[in-house]
């Protein structure tokens, strides 16, 4: 539990979890005391917990980011699941199935984190299905060959880890804790992708060419995962001040490029950027211009697979309705049975 100091805790305990300022008639003086305590806690790198007071905008920024993140995890299952039935060996099939299941688990941890902010999973899924909330641009690209599974693991999961490791230090406790477990699993995913590509590059000429083609197609979209350039990033400044984000989009993108260049060399693959050059002065790799027009088009819904991904997601949700109904009926039965047992125990223990 975060020691945000007594006013927020005192207030939250009285108002219940997720008690919002203003909504419960707090006077402005109390709000400014809570705000000051919140600011002090963030400045001291303490965690904000669900029952602590927090500004409305902090809460809604977290819901926006966590929801987008959760949606990315579950939509992200689709491009790889496409290859489960066609994996070239039982070993590869088992690994890929485990990975795709992990992504579903990540989605659940993240919807759980969003629930602690007072937003239900149902509500977030409705928004996703209605196209009112985003998911990562990267999952609107097709997986054309088996090598794409390797490129996704190496580059997409690699980019995800680069972005998500700092989120383990996010100021909001439930999100930060979910990220610890997610990052451990993502790092396994990244290694399986790298190992898959390594096997292909050590294989036949056709396999090596397939690996190169996959990296050619996934490299630039992976760089776009980090979001728009800093000077166009609407939310970065505020999110960094709140310590939700710890680094800017461009800083993380550069970190990712610096990690990938030597790894590509070790794989014997070329990154599709003629402008990649080591910059001695900066101590970083310079890289070419990103096509931000393409990024904006994908965000507007005009990527190669946007329609297909959302359609498949809606269909999966509808097809799963009976599972949700059965689970709810089972839970109701269990709780009725538990309260019946409780009542008969009380009756037996009465003199
Ligand atoms: N795709 O002000 P900005 C994974 C939106 S990994 C789509 O910089 P922020 C996985 C942004 O939402 C992928 N939209 O925003 C890996 C905002 O729009 P709204 C998921 C994007 O939030 C392997 C607008 O552009 N990872 O799940 O400060 C297998 C302005 O951007 C993108 C996460 O979600 C994009 N690439 O920074 C399976 C990590 N980039 O909301 C699954 C957590 C930006 O104003 N999220 N936008 O309409 C973050 O770290 C941050 O939200 C971002 C963006 C760095 C992505």
């Amino acid at each position: 539990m975060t020691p945000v100091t007594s006013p927020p805790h005192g207030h939250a305990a009285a108002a219940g979890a997720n008690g919002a300022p203003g909504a419960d008639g707090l006077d402005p003086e109390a709000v400014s005391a809570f705000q000051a305590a919140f600011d002090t806690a963030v400045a001291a790198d303490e965690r904000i917990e669900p029952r602590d007071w927090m500004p409305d905008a902090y809460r809604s920024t977290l819901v926006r980011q966590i929801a987008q993140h959760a949606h990315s995890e579950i939509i992200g299952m689709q491009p790889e699941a496409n290859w489960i039935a066609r994996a070239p060996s039982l070993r590869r099939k088992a690994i890929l199935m485990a990975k795709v299941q992990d992504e579903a688990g990540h989605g659940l941890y993240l919807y759980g984190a969003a629930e602690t902010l007072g937003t239900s999973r149902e509500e977030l899924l409705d928004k996703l299905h209605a196209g009112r909330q985003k998911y990562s641009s990267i999952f609107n690209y097709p997986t054309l060959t088996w090598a794409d599974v390797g490129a996704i693991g190496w580059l997409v999961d690699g980019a995800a880890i680069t972005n998500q490791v700092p989120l383990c230090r996010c100021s909001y406790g439930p999100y930060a804790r979910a990220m610890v477990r997610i990052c451990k699993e993502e790092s396994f995913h990244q290694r399986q992708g790298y190992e898959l590509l390594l096997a292909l590059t050590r294989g036949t000429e056709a396999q090596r060419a397939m690996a190169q083609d996959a990296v050619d197609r996934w490299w630039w979209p992976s760089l776009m995962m980090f979001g728009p350039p800093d000077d166009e990033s609407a939310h970065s400044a505020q999110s960094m001040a709140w310590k939700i984000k710890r680094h800017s989009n461009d800083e993380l993108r550069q970190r990712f490029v610096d990690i990938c260049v030597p790894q590509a060399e070790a794989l014997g693959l070329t990154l599709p950027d003629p402008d990649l050059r080591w910059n001695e002065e900066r101590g970083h790799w310079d890289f070419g211009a990103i096509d931000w027009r393409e990024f904006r088009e994908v965000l507007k819904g005009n990527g190669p697979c946007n329609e297909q991904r959302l359609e498949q997601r809606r269909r999966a949700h509808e097809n799963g309705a009976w599972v949700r109904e059965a689970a709810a009926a089972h839970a109701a039965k269990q709780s009725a049975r538990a309260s019946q047992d409780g009542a008969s125990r009380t009756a037996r223990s009465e003199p």
Side-chain angles (χ1 to χ4, degrees), residues 31-334:
V31 171
S32 65
F34 293 156
Q35 177 74 55
F38 170 86
D39 292 343
T40 306
V42 171
D45 269 339
E46 286 165 6
R47 289 268 161 84
I48 306 300
E49 296 294 340
R51 296 180 71 85
D52 294 332
W53 183 91
M54 62 188 82
D56 286 345
Y58 176 82
R59 187 186 300 275
S60 59
T61 291
L62 279 167
V63 169
R64 179 186 62 78
Q65 177 166 327
I66 297 172
Q68 178 182 318
H69 195 165
H71 299 331
S72 304
E73 298 283 357
I74 59 163
I75 297 260
M77 295 166 73
Q78 292 183 35
E80 290 179 285
N82 178 34
W83 280 92
I84 291 175
R86 290 176 287 163
S89 69
L90 183 59
R91 174 174 171 266
R92 292 287 179 198
K93 192 192 288 267
I95 294 171
L96 186 55
M97 274 170 60
K99 179 182 192 282
V100 172
Q101 280 174 355
D102 283 353
E103 312 297 359
H106 298 174
L108 293 184
Y109 311 153
L110 289 163
Y111 288 122
E115 273 177 352
T116 68
L117 292 157
T119 316
S120 72
R121 173 150 49 121
E122 206 172 18
E123 188 183 333
L124 296 181
L125 282 173
D126 283 348
K127 286 186 175 153
L128 170 67
H129 298 154
R132 289 195 286 125
Q133 268 177 349
K134 293 190 170 80
Y135 58 89
S136 181
S137 51
I138 193 75
F139 301 116
N140 293 306
Y141 292 85
T143 39
L144 303 180
T145 70
W146 169 248
D148 287 26
V149 173
I152 290 181
W154 177 40
L155 296 174
V156 176
D157 287 277
I161 299 170
T162 309
N163 165 270
Q164 290 170 17
V165 165
L167 291 174
C168 298
R169 293 188 295 117
C170 161
S171 57
Y172 187 59
Y175 190 29
R177 288 189 288 275
M179 292 317 304
V180 172
R181 183 152 173 198
I182 291 176
C183 284
K184 283 193 179 137
E185 293 175 354
E186 297 287 25
S187 105
F188 157 75
H189 296 169
Q190 194 266 355
R191 278 180 240 174
Q192 71 80 35
Y194 186 87
E195 193 264 341
L196 196 164
L197 287 179
L198 195 61
L200 290 176
T201 54
R202 288 177 177 174
T204 62
E205 191 41 45
Q207 287 172 322
R208 209 205 62 78
M210 183 166 69
Q212 182 63 58
D213 168 65
V215 168
D216 288 348
R217 285 180 289 106
W218 288 92
W219 173 249
W220 291 107
S222 298
L223 295 190
M224 294 174 196
M225 283 175 72
F226 294 91
D230 290 352
D231 55 3
E232 289 172 31
S233 165
H235 305 293
S236 278
Q238 182 59 76
S239 288
M240 285 170 73
W242 278 327
K243 297 186 180 168
I244 294 173
K245 283 168 87 162
R246 294 286 183 156
H247 305 279
S248 77
N249 298 355
D250 286 333
E251 274 168 19
L252 292 173
R253 194 171 2 254
Q254 178 70 62
R255 190 177 291 182
F256 177 66
V257 172
D258 291 348
I259 292 169
C260 287
V261 174
Q263 291 185 350
E265 216 171 273
L267 282 169
L269 294 171
T270 312
L271 294 172
D273 180 356
D275 295 326
L276 261 183
R277 220 157 272 119
W278 176 250
N279 184 324
E280 195 63 53
E281 212 173 296
R282 292 198 310 122
H284 292 290
W285 286 87
D286 287 338
F287 54 97
I290 294 172
D291 182 356
W292 291 112
R293 193 192 39 82
E294 174 180 321
F295 175 73
R296 283 190 292 272
E297 280 304 307
V298 172
L299 257 59
K300 273 199 266 167
N302 301 327
C305 300
N306 293 58
E307 252 175 65
Q308 178 188 329
R309 298 287 184 243
L310 259 189
E311 186 49 40
Q312 168 64 16
R313 174 90 274 288
R314 290 191 195 106
R315 205 169 36 237
H317 192 70
E318 279 162 26
N319 290 343
W322 70 270
V323 180
R324 292 189 295 280
E325 281 160 24
H330 179 69
K333 214 190 244 177
Q334 295 284 91

